[in-house]
């Protein structure tokens, strides 16, 4: 190699290596963008014919890293609930944002619900049924 070629090769090597080193520390590539991978919903309907009765609702939103996730509950046929934000945290199954609640049923219902995750590119959960006959009204 000629001296001019050696200088050019050394300059190119230095130009490529310099961004990878910062204060003698190796700089790692940036992690990918926050991404929602999937969502799941479970509803345990009341197992009695009397109302009011309690139903249990639980949801899980799986992501590729920790961070806030905004979701809405959707009833099949149109009703959409208010947005709620929860935080995905590291767990045994990866990063997951989860919620659970008990809701009181006052009248007969036969409906299906699912989770719609905001800013996720269209991630939605499975449809989960909620059924209660309320054949025995107890008031309340």
């Amino acid at each position: 190699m000629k001296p001019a070629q050696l200088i050019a090769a050394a300059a190119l090597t230095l130009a490529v290596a310099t961004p990878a080193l910062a204060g003698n520390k190796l700089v790692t590539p940036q992690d990918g963008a926050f991404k929602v991978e999937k969502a799941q919903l479970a509803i345990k309907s009341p197992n009695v014919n009397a109302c009011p009765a309690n139903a249990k609702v639980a949801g899980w939103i799986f992501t590729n890293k920790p961070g806030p996730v905004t979701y809405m509950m959707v009833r099949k046929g149109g009703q959409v609930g208010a947005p709620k934000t929860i935080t995905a945290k590291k767990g045994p199954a990866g990063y997951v944002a989860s919620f659970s609640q008990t809701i009181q049923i006052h009248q007969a219902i036969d409906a299906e619900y699912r989770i719609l995750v905001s800013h996720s590119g269209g991630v939605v959960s499975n449809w989960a049924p909620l059924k209660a006959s309320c054949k025995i009204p107890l008031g309340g």
Side-chain angles (χ1 to χ4, degrees), residues 42-48 53-57 105 109 111 128-132:
I43 298 176
K44 183 175 182 192
S45 296
N47 59 359
V48 296
N54 291 331
K56 296 186 187 277
V57 179
I105 307 298
I109 187 169
L130 172 59
K131 296 181 181 186

Side-chain angles (χ1 to χ4, degrees), residues 53-57 100-104:
N54 291 331
K56 296 186 187 277
V57 179
S100 63
Q101 66 185 61
T102 300
I103 57 173
Q104 197 167 62

Side-chain angles (χ1 to χ4, degrees), residues 48-132:
V48 296
N49 290 326
C51 286
N54 291 331
K56 296 186 187 277
V57 179
W60 302 268
I61 301 169
F62 297 88
T63 65
N64 66 332
K65 59 171 68 174
V69 179
T70 301
Y71 72 95
M72 293 164 282
M73 293 291 292
V74 178
R75 182 176 176 162
K76 191 179 258 186
Q79 294 177 336
V80 179
K84 296 180 181 178
T85 301
I86 53 179
T87 302
K89 298 176 184 173
K90 180 77 170 156
Y95 295 100
V96 64
S98 63
F99 66 90
S100 63
Q101 66 185 61
T102 300
I103 57 173
Q104 197 167 62
I105 307 298
H106 294 277
Q107 60 190 21
I109 187 169
D110 185 359
E112 290 183 287
Y113 292 86
R114 75 172 169 196
I115 301 168
L116 169 63
V117 185
S118 300
H119 309 293
S120 67
V123 172
V124 295
S125 73
N126 56 297
W127 287 107
L130 172 59
K131 296 181 181 186

